[in-house]
Amino acid sequence: MPTRATKRGDDRTPLTGAHDVLICGASFAGLAVARELAGSGADVLIVDRYEIGERQTSACGIPTRWLENLGLMEAERQRFDTLVIHTAHGDSRYKLPWTFSTFDYRTLCALLWDGCDARFETAKVEGLADGAANGSDAIAVDTDRGTISAPLVVDALGWRRVLAGPAGYQPPDAPLSRGLEVHPDGGGEDLEIWIDRRYVPAGYGWSFPAGEETRIGVGSFDPRFHVRETTELLAADLERDRVRYQGNWIPHKLRAATGRGVFFAGDSAGHCLPLTAEGIRTALYFGIDLGRELRAVVEGRQTREQAAAGYAAFNDSHDWKFKWMLRTQKIVPRVPPRLLGPLIRVFGVKRFVDWSFGHYLNIAPPEFAEADCQRADSQARETATSAGSPVG
């Protein structure tokens, strides 16, 4: 289990003050926003209950090109160009049109943090404070170490959407899936998915090898279905140890990207794809876009209101894609098991796989990250040139 890193005792000093940008949450989305702000001259503070890279909450897989385009290949642990899908009535192996990589969470977070020039503090964010602080345009946030403020505030804290206020967004009534996995030692060769009601009536199981360990779990689209017993059943069927448990609630509905003067990114905005529950790529994707909008504010190229409108429009432009995937998520459990195996085999035709997986990748295309890296590299060169030092 992760150890809470919020400072205690003599190290627990008050945390107060005003900043240009306050980012609450130091995982994929929060770090992507901060990385985009690097070199802008903004005073950026990131706060999180845990240390950066301390608390892994997913199987940590992503299309390889996203790692490549963000310069994060050092975190890669294993790469796959096929996907094996198991059903109760047969198995199919899909040759993917692009590769998928599992990675080490702590390493990837450290690499993202290396690209930031923000300050980081451990603190538990408790909500918005009453009233504004240090000026009418500042938003005050309460933490368990004190109140901090900024005119630009990001909630990347996860599905609880802490800074949105008491909206009643709680399981099992909220649109959330639930997942649990174990991390036994020992690797494997195949990226595998189980669509089998022996493990979950509506959802899927998975086995994601990652170098010296394998991540085995079950996710349920119905939050009322408890997945511990069936996660252990899948691990037992694979003759793997049930050790190092981790689990989380997974949003499967896109939410408003702004509200109460706050910007939301990652799971707090529902940036997790229905059906597949892939949320890392989308957290980075929307985090980069938000970082670009905030950078334009910091640099005086637009107002906070313009940034909010632009980011909300970007978020909402993806709504139909999320809704189509949610419809598919609802349809799959209704397919009779005896038909599921043959359908999976039919869908394994190369032309269909290339088409469907190509469209899936383009929901959050890796070229979006590549453009970000090109911009960051250009800024680094400009900075080095102005300082009189050569680059490259």
Side-chain angles (χ1 to χ4, degrees), residues 82-333:
T82 60
L83 172 66
V84 180
I85 301 179
H86 304 279
T87 74
H89 296 274
D91 306 330
S92 295
R93 181 181 293 270
Y94 287 10
K95 182 71 169 68
L96 301 176
W98 39 267
T99 60
F100 190 86
S101 295
T102 51
F103 62 85
D104 180 74
Y105 177 76
R106 185 179 292 272
T107 302
L108 187 133
C109 288
L111 291 171
L112 286 171
W113 176 239
D114 284 346
C116 303
D117 57 10
R119 175 184 161 204
F120 173 76
E121 290 284 349
T122 55
K124 180 184 177 183
V125 176
E126 298 177 333
L128 293 182
D130 293 331
N134 300 314
S136 60
D137 64 340
I139 298 170
V141 174
D142 282 335
T143 77
D144 61 354
R145 290 177 58 196
T147 300
I148 46 183
S149 66
L152 301 173
V153 175
V154 176
D155 181 335
L157 291 164
W159 64 268
R160 288 183 178 84
R161 203 172 162 90
V162 174
L163 299 185
Y169 197 76
Q170 294 290 331
D173 299 319
L176 297 166
S177 300
R178 69 190 305 164
L180 179 70
E181 67 181 13
V182 292
H183 290 190
D185 292 330
E189 297 299 325
D190 289 324
L191 191 71
E192 300 176 86
I193 296 291
W194 282 262
I195 307 176
D196 189 333
R197 290 171 195 175
R198 181 168 180 262
Y199 301 117
V200 57
Y204 63 93
W206 66 86
S207 174
F208 283 17
E212 297 180 354
E213 72 170 18
T214 300
R215 297 147 189 178
I216 298 168
V218 172
S220 172
F221 302 145
D222 179 358
R224 294 172 178 82
F225 182 83
H226 295 271
V227 293
R228 182 180 181 113
E229 182 177 338
T230 53
T231 296
E232 293 176 345
L233 174 62
L234 177 57
D237 286 347
L238 297 177
E239 300 182 342
R240 306 301 287 270
D241 293 334
R242 280 81 78 195
V243 293
R244 294 187 288 277
Y245 289 77
Q246 71 170 26
N248 202 11
W249 296 101
I250 307 163
H252 56 238
K253 183 179 181 180
L254 198 65
R255 306 194 72 193
T258 61
R260 305 181 77 190
V262 176
F263 298 84
F264 298 89
D267 281 3
S268 70
H271 291 155
C272 189
L273 296 174
L275 182 64
T276 64
E278 187 190 1
I280 298 167
R281 170 170 57 120
T282 44
L284 295 169
Y285 175 66
F286 286 98
I288 288 171
D289 184 76
L290 175 55
R292 291 172 179 169
E293 295 285 358
L294 298 186
R295 188 183 188 98
V297 178
V298 168
E299 295 177 345
R301 293 183 280 116
Q302 68 176 354
T303 65
R304 180 175 69 182
E305 291 70 27
Q306 289 172 324
Y311 180 57
F314 181 78
N315 179 78
D316 294 348
S317 71
H318 294 76
D319 185 57
W320 68 273
K321 303 174 185 178
F322 279 68
K323 284 181 176 177
W324 270 107
M325 293 200 69
L326 183 57
R327 291 190 185 104
T328 305
Q329 173 178 301
K330 293 177 179 179
I331 289 171
V332 170

Side-chain angles (χ1 to χ4, degrees), residues 1 8 40 262-263 267 383:
M1 295 294 292
R8 298 181 181 279
S40 68
V262 176
F263 298 84
D267 281 3
T383 300

Side-chain angles (χ1 to χ4, degrees), residues 33-49:
V33 174
R35 195 176 195 236
E36 187 64 27
L37 289 165
S40 68
D43 172 15
V44 180
L45 176 66
I46 306 175
V47 294
D48 195 289
R49 180 175 179 176

